[in-house]
Amino acid sequence: MSDQERRRISGMAPVTSVKEALRSEAPVAALEVRGWVRTRRDAKDFSFLELNDGSSLRNLQIIAKDSLTNYGEIQRLTTGASIRARGPLVASQGKGQSWELIADEIEIVGASDDTYPLQKKGHTPEFLREISHLRPRSNLFGCVFRVRSRLAFAIHQFFQDRGFVYVHTPIITGSDCEGAGELFRVTTIDPQKPPHLPNDGGIDYAQDFFARRTYLTVSGQLEAEAFACALSKVYTFGPTFRAENSNTSRHANEFWMIEPEVAFCDLNGDMDLAEEMVKYLVRDIREKCPDELELFAKFVDKELTARLEFVLERPFQRITYEEAIALLQKSGRKFDFPVEYGLNLQSEHERWLTEEHFKCPLTVFNYPKEIKPFYMRLNDDGRTVTAMDLLVPGIGEIIGGSQREERLDVLEENLRRHKMDRADYKWYLDLRRYGSVPHAGFGLGFERMLMFVTGVANIRDVIPFARTPGSAEF
RNA sequence: UCCAGCGUAGCUCAGUGGUAGAGCGAUCGGCUGUUAACCGAUUGGUCGUAGGUUCGAAUCCUACCGCUGGAGCCA
């Protein structure tokens, strides 16, 4: 909608965002801005107001002259108040900004007072976390959530540009995806008086809402496989729930995950896709959110600019699990946990590899079958599976993926070996029974990617209202 | 869930057995086309909660709660 159209509809001056106003190339006779007052500074016969509307990191400076009819009220404006201001946009006489608005009229929409918790001084992210409903009004969190929005958009753009179909896999699910994490149960059974089975007294879930046990999804992978084996290239992007009692800066109980799944694709194609995507996303954010990245580089992570530069310039390293073990054993480094073929790589091992040895993102692939789930494809060596983890400095695992086992007999053997019930996976086995194809995919933790791009160290600070053990306020 | 650390003013912190402090913020006044303005004054507290030790506890002990970091699990 053009400014003129907006004016015709609203019958008043066109509403301009702070971002648009600051990008102006010439003075404007009259415009209207709306937003929240960040600070007020009084001059001799007028007052400076810093207005922020979230459209940008930057504020618009508003000149409120003492000739305004409500100047007395304006001088009592405190940080946090919401206003509407109308007037001409002119070149600023002061340094620090090129444009400012000379107000002909300022309407106080919602006053604030001295109990407003955000002060015009720095706050720690930990304090701001306690006021999650107000923290998007801070510079840091405004930036985080603008980048979050852009990153989500860039993910869709990446896949849509490449012909992937966006699939909405179920959020309520009957499959537990082979213990990818503890599950949140979904039920309408009254815990005071649950229906019992006739004999052993256990709960009769056949009488529950879905006539079976159901959970919040921990992964859409299995369902995505079904769609990949029809639409060829698909991706999911949605909320994921894990009831793990994890208390770390990298875990949340509700997070968003992106899970591409590609038919006629092997592990190499999968790793190529993962690396291409990570680079694409970094490049997009660098291009589209420069102001935000500048703030992160200044106040959050001094290394950020160099690290992102590095990610774009250098090819990612790629080594097998066996090579990783050999490197760790030769490192001469003393680790708390043993390094031995057949054992999982610990955080300290992954960190050494990506942060100290290679100093760049690293994909480790072909893990021993014993430490990986049933659906991963068995390699010809008979002892490893086509798993891959993409590790990045500072965060660790950001992507986990694999080529899926497409051979019916091998998959059935895997189910037996993992002591899983074939009946629960009938539909999944059908995909191998009818027109089975090699296919592969991975899961990208959206918030972990966002942490990597912004340098923000705690996952709770890249989620609007984070859910973690013992904490579901707001 | 395990290990470690921390809970003192609105915020960030100092205070390690003897009268509860600073900076910032806020409030008031002054100055001023200012930029987290500047100058002066004022305001500010059940020291996380509950017990215990002691003549006396913010300080020592115990339990609990909360937060932070790390581990495991993973994205």
Side-chain angles (χ1 to χ4, degrees):
Chain A
M1 197 189 294
S2 73
D3 282 353
Q4 285 76 10
E5 284 170 302
R6 261 186 298 217
R7 192 202 308 251
R8 195 164 54 237
I9 290 165
S10 64
M12 51 176 127
V15 176
T16 309
S17 71
V18 166
K19 185 181 182 178
E20 288 174 307
L22 290 171
R23 273 203 311 224
S24 198
E25 288 178 355
V28 180
L31 53 75
E32 173 176 331
V33 290
R34 305 156 168 183
W36 293 266
V37 174
R38 283 295 180 81
T39 77
R40 195 196 75 242
R41 292 181 294 272
D42 291 332
K44 194 168 182 182
D45 44 17
F46 63 97
S47 201
F48 294 105
L49 300 176
E50 294 279 341
L51 188 79
N52 189 283
D53 66 356
S55 60
S56 144
L57 169 61
R58 308 196 56 191
N59 304 323
L60 179 66
Q61 176 161 289
I62 294 172
I63 309 296
K65 292 185 174 161
D66 61 2
S67 54
L68 290 169
T69 53
N70 58 347
Y71 189 64
E73 282 175 75
I74 288 164
Q75 280 197 303
R76 270 178 269 120
L77 276 177
T78 57
T79 305
S82 53
I83 62 164
R84 238 187 265 251
R86 300 179 197 99
L89 186 77
V90 303
S92 177
Q93 296 173 33
K95 297 191 182 85
Q97 62 280 316
S98 41
W99 299 103
E100 63 191 17
L101 187 121
I102 311 279
D104 293 329
E105 189 186 348
I106 290 178
E107 179 192 340
I108 297 166
V109 178
S112 185
D113 65 34
D114 60 8
T115 62
Y116 185 64
L118 289 169
Q119 306 171 353
K120 54 178 174 185
K121 54 168 272 188
H123 284 300
T124 60
E126 289 80 15
F127 169 69
L128 292 170
R129 210 177 286 155
E130 293 168 20
I131 47 168
S132 290
H133 58 306
L134 295 173
R135 67 178 182 171
R137 300 189 191 186
S138 69
N139 285 340
L140 173 64
F141 286 96
C143 285
V144 165
F145 293 115
R146 277 188 299 274
V147 173
R148 185 177 169 117
S149 167
R150 179 66 212 183
L151 186 66
F153 183 80
I155 282 162
H156 283 296
Q157 197 161 57
F158 175 83
F159 286 116
Q160 297 284 337
D161 283 353
R162 285 160 184 74
F164 283 66
V165 176
Y166 180 28
V167 178
H168 296 109
T169 51
I171 288 169
I172 297 172
T173 173
S175 80
D176 71 358
C177 205
E178 204 257 333
E182 295 293 314
L183 298 149
F184 287 106
R185 184 158 297 154
V186 174
T187 180
T188 55
I189 287 176
D190 181 351
Q192 302 297 327
K193 40 179 191 237
H196 288 285
L197 290 164
N199 296 326
D200 66 358
I203 293 170
D204 182 9
Y205 285 99
Q207 293 187 49
D208 201 351
F209 191 88
F210 294 108
R212 58 172 299 159
R213 290 176 195 237
T214 48
Y215 313 92
L216 292 179
T217 183
V218 291
S219 167
Q221 180 201 315
L222 303 189
E223 290 92 347
E225 283 185 53
F227 271 70
C229 294
L231 305 178
S232 294
K233 292 192 283 188
V234 303
Y235 70 105
T236 74
F237 185 3
T240 308
F241 307 88
R242 305 227 173 137
E244 287 290 336
N245 192 3
S246 310
N247 237 300
T248 82
S249 54
R250 281 161 276 113
H251 291 83
N253 298 111
E254 177 181 320
F255 62 98
W256 284 58
M257 190 157 65
I258 297 98
E259 296 182 289
E261 194 70 37
V262 184
F264 304 99
C265 179
D266 64 11
L267 186 69
N268 281 320
D270 201 33
M271 292 192 285
D272 289 345
L273 181 68
E275 295 174 7
E276 187 189 350
M277 181 189 67
V278 168
K279 287 195 178 199
Y280 177 94
L281 296 177
V282 168
R283 196 175 296 120
D284 182 88
I285 295 301
R286 275 215 330 180
E287 189 184 318
K288 298 298 198 308
C289 306
D291 288 355
E292 284 79 6
L293 288 189
E294 196 184 318
L295 178 129
F296 298 137
K298 206 166 160 190
F299 295 113
V300 176
D301 180 0
K302 305 270 185 231
E303 319 271 284
L304 183 66
T305 310
R307 202 176 64 229
L308 295 182
E309 190 76 45
F310 209 67
V311 168
L312 293 182
E313 278 175 4
R314 282 191 42 173
F316 291 10
Q317 295 294 313
R318 216 179 264 191
I319 59 172
T320 64
Y321 167 87
E322 216 165 343
E323 289 165 338
I325 294 290
L327 278 172
L328 288 161
Q329 285 172 339
K330 282 191 304 191
S331 69
R333 169 65 73 94
K334 250 191 115 57
F335 295 107
D336 293 336
F337 289 87
V339 178
E340 195 185 308
Y341 186 93
L343 297 182
N344 265 310
L345 294 179
Q346 302 290 317
S347 285
E348 58 172 351
H349 305 143
E350 295 180 345
R351 258 207 313 274
W352 181 83
L353 287 165
T354 184
E355 288 171 15
E356 292 184 50
H357 187 70
F358 290 108
K359 293 180 167 50
C360 74
L362 165 72
T363 308
V364 182
F365 65 102
N366 285 352
Y367 284 73
K369 65 180 177 188
E370 290 77 17
I371 58 173
K372 289 293 176 184
F374 77 101
Y375 53 74
M376 295 189 176
R377 190 180 196 277
L378 187 66
N379 279 313
D380 292 344
D381 62 14
R383 58 192 200 119
T384 62
V385 292
T386 56
M388 64 99 165
D389 284 349
L390 176 56
L391 313 173
V392 296
I395 293 165
E397 185 179 342
I398 198 169
I399 285 175
S402 68
Q403 184 176 341
R404 322 305 189 186
E405 183 55 74
E406 85 283 11
R407 298 162 296 190
L408 182 61
D409 54 334
V410 182
L411 189 59
E412 287 180 322
E413 173 54 30
N414 286 353
L415 286 172
R416 255 192 301 280
R417 199 157 43 83
H418 284 85
K419 299 189 170 57
M420 298 165 68
D421 190 352
R422 269 180 57 187
D424 291 342
Y425 293 89
K426 186 183 175 302
W427 69 267
Y428 189 69
L429 292 165
D430 271 357
L431 302 176
R432 279 73 182 167
R433 200 167 276 128
Y434 310 116
S436 188
V437 292
H439 60 287
F442 61 81
L444 166 75
F446 179 63
E447 284 81 6
R448 287 192 182 171
M449 185 68 207
L450 188 55
M451 291 165 74
F452 183 65
V453 169
T454 59
V456 171
N458 195 311
I459 198 165
R460 299 172 183 98
D461 295 334
V462 296
I463 299 176
F465 299 99
R467 271 79 183 95
T468 52
S471 175
E473 212 193 337
F474 303 105

